[in-house]
């Protein structure tokens, strides 16, 4: 029997690749940069499975370029806004993703960003390396306190809840805005709030929503206008949830204290973005789930989702299935 052909859009950790190579004819895009649109359309032709990253737009054109034998799309991420789900559904193609395994790792990183922005860690590091540490100074690099502060979580799904657990350990008060989570379903210590109230009361605002038409630009100029001047915004969700121009204005005018981003709009952020000139911004290149262990687990799940789809079996984690 000939093995099914699959296209993997970047080298994923061995744990996943080995599983695929045992059962499939695997074409792995070998470069660090993602395939161009043309290369993607070309390489998917005739495959039964696509293992994609969040850097690729997997839409009707890609599915049709692959052909009618395409059986499954497996996204190496928990988010799947890069995949046109209705187009996949219309073609009877299940879409897999990797929830669960990256929850704690991503929550750790959201908390690391929160702390780094609050205590100006990146600025402090640059200060020392620049040879500017001349003495102990009573008023140098003053930040804002984390303990006792109010954290506002926008989105109380898996990652939002994991951030809440960390925050409660730090003695924070936790508010959340999530229309899908009524107060009786909220974990202990998390109080529901209207978005408006959360924006006005929170000292730290951390975003944990998927990117949808409803969440695109949820944090815009009007939202920044409601925040405290000491507020810190943390985004480990998706860049377009925040209006980048409004963010620039809020940070450069000190309308808010600081922001910390793991995601931007566009992504990657252009090297000449004015945001990169600001000292009250901490920024990382979308590495929330980037621990060795977690990326290995994601690779295994993404591979298993792909293999299940090739066999016509239920995916381990299929987008749109309750609980995923
Ligand atoms: C990363 O952003 C993911 O969705 O896994
Ligand atoms: C700081 O190191 C202090 O002793 O206050």
């Amino acid at each position: 029997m000939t093995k099914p052909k699959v296209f993997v859009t970047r080298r994923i950790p061995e744990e996943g690749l080995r599983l695929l190579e045992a059962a499939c004819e695997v074409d792995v895009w070998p470069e660090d940069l993602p395939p161009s649109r043309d290369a993607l359309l070309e390489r998917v032709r005739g495959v039964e499975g696509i293992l994609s990253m969040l850097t690729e737009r997997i839409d009707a054109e890609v599915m049709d370029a692959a052909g009618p034998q395409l059986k499954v799309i497996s996204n190496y991420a928990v988010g799947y806004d890069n995949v046109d789900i209705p187009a996949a559904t219309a073609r009877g193609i299940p879409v897999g993703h990797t929830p669960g395994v990256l929850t704690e790792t991503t929550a750790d990183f959201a908390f690391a960003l929160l702390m780094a922005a609050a205590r100006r860690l990146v600025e402090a590091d640059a200060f020392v390396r620049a040879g500017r540490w001349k003495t102990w100074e009573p008023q140098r690099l003053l930040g804002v306190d984390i303990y006792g502060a109010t954290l506002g979580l926008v989105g109380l799904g898996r990652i939002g809840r994991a951030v809440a657990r960390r925050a409660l350990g730090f003695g924070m008060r936790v508010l959340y805005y999530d229309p899908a989570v009524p107060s009786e379903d909220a974990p202990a210590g998390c109080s529901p709030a209207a978005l408006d109230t959360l924006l006005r009361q929170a000292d730290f605002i951390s975003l944990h929503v998927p990117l949808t038409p409803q969440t695109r630009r949820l944090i815009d100029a009007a939202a920044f206008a409601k925040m405290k001047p000491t507020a810190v915004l943390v985004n480990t969700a998706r860049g377009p949830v925040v209006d980048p121009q409004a963010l620039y204005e809020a940070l450069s005018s000190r309308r808010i204290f600081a922001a910390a981003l793991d995601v931007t709009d566009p992504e990657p952020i252009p090297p000449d973005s004015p945001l990169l000139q600001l000292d009250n911004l901490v920024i990382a290149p979308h590495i929330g789930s980037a621990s060795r262990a977690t990326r290995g687990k994601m690779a295994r799940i993404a591979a298993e989702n792909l293999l299940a789809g090739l066999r016509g079996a239920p995916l381990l984690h299929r987008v749109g299935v309750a609980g995923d």
Side-chain angles (χ1 to χ4, degrees):
M1 216 176 84
T2 58
K3 290 178 169 180
K5 285 193 187 131
V6 300
F7 181 51
V8 181
T9 64
R10 223 75 51 72
R11 265 204 95 69
I12 58 169
E14 281 305 315
E15 292 89 316
L17 273 187
R18 273 200 310 268
L19 289 176
L20 294 179
E21 282 163 354
C24 309
E25 189 183 314
V26 186
D27 177 19
V28 180
W29 183 254
E31 296 174 23
D32 291 335
L33 290 178
S36 66
R37 183 75 181 170
D38 284 348
L40 177 64
L41 293 171
E42 165 67 31
R43 296 290 267 267
V44 296
R45 192 166 303 150
V47 302
E48 290 184 40
I50 301 173
L51 196 151
S52 51
M53 314 290 125
L54 52 86
T55 41
E56 286 88 51
R57 192 159 47 82
I58 306 293
D59 55 12
E61 189 186 16
V62 173
M63 298 172 205
D64 293 341
Q69 78 299 328
L70 180 64
K71 290 201 179 74
V72 57
I73 295 162
S74 173
N75 210 40
Y76 181 69
V78 62
Y80 45 82
D81 49 279
N82 60 305
V83 181
D84 184 336
I85 303 297
T89 307
R91 289 163 180 74
I93 301 168
V95 177
H97 67 144
T98 66
V101 288
L102 49 64
T103 301
E104 301 295 336
T105 302
T106 305
D108 281 347
F109 197 66
F111 219 81
L113 286 178
L114 180 156
M115 296 187 76
R119 298 300 304 271
R120 304 173 63 177
L121 183 58
V122 175
E123 260 183 281
D125 181 280
F127 178 83
V128 175
R129 289 172 195 269
R132 296 174 61 201
W133 184 12
K134 306 290 188 206
T135 182
W136 189 90
E137 294 174 81
Q139 302 211 69
R140 174 69 70 184
L141 285 162
L142 304 187
V144 292
D145 279 321
I146 296 158
Y147 83 94
T150 296
L151 171 64
L153 295 168
V154 179
L156 193 67
R158 286 173 292 249
I159 300 171
R161 285 166 197 249
V163 172
R165 287 195 291 278
R166 287 156 179 75
L168 293 170
F170 272 77
M172 299 180 93
R173 169 180 172 236
V174 180
L175 301 178
Y176 75 91
Y177 165 72
D178 191 332
V181 184
S183 58
E184 60 272 21
D185 294 346
C190 300
S191 309
L195 182 58
D196 200 78
T197 311
L198 183 151
L199 294 172
R200 289 179 200 283
Q201 291 190 4
D203 300 299
F204 295 88
I205 296 163
S206 190
L207 308 179
H208 301 288
V209 289
L211 178 63
T212 66
Q214 291 71 42
T215 62
R216 183 173 289 272
R217 303 281 184 268
L218 186 65
I219 306 301
D220 58 5
F224 284 111
K226 292 169 191 159
M227 294 180 195
K228 294 183 177 182
T230 48
V232 174
L233 176 72
V234 180
N235 190 4
T236 53
R238 284 293 181 267
V241 177
V242 177
D243 178 339
Q245 184 60 35
L247 174 67
Y248 177 78
E249 278 157 23
L251 289 173
S252 60
S253 66
R254 310 275 160 178
R255 174 83 259 312
I256 66 170
F257 181 72
L261 309 178
D262 188 39
V263 289
T264 58
D265 181 20
E267 206 165 284
I269 193 168
D272 62 354
S273 166
L275 280 166
L276 298 180
Q277 302 302 315
L278 300 173
D279 57 10
N280 54 349
L281 176 73
V282 175
I283 186 158
H286 204 148
I287 57 170
S289 67
S291 74
R292 266 179 213 276
T294 289
R295 286 286 169 85
K297 291 179 198 165
M298 288 168 62
R300 176 176 278 275
I301 291 179
E304 287 178 354
N305 279 336
L306 197 79
L307 294 173
L310 294 174
R311 289 194 307 270
L315 311 196
L316 227 50
H317 296 287
R318 178 175 175 179
V319 170
V321 170
D324 277 339

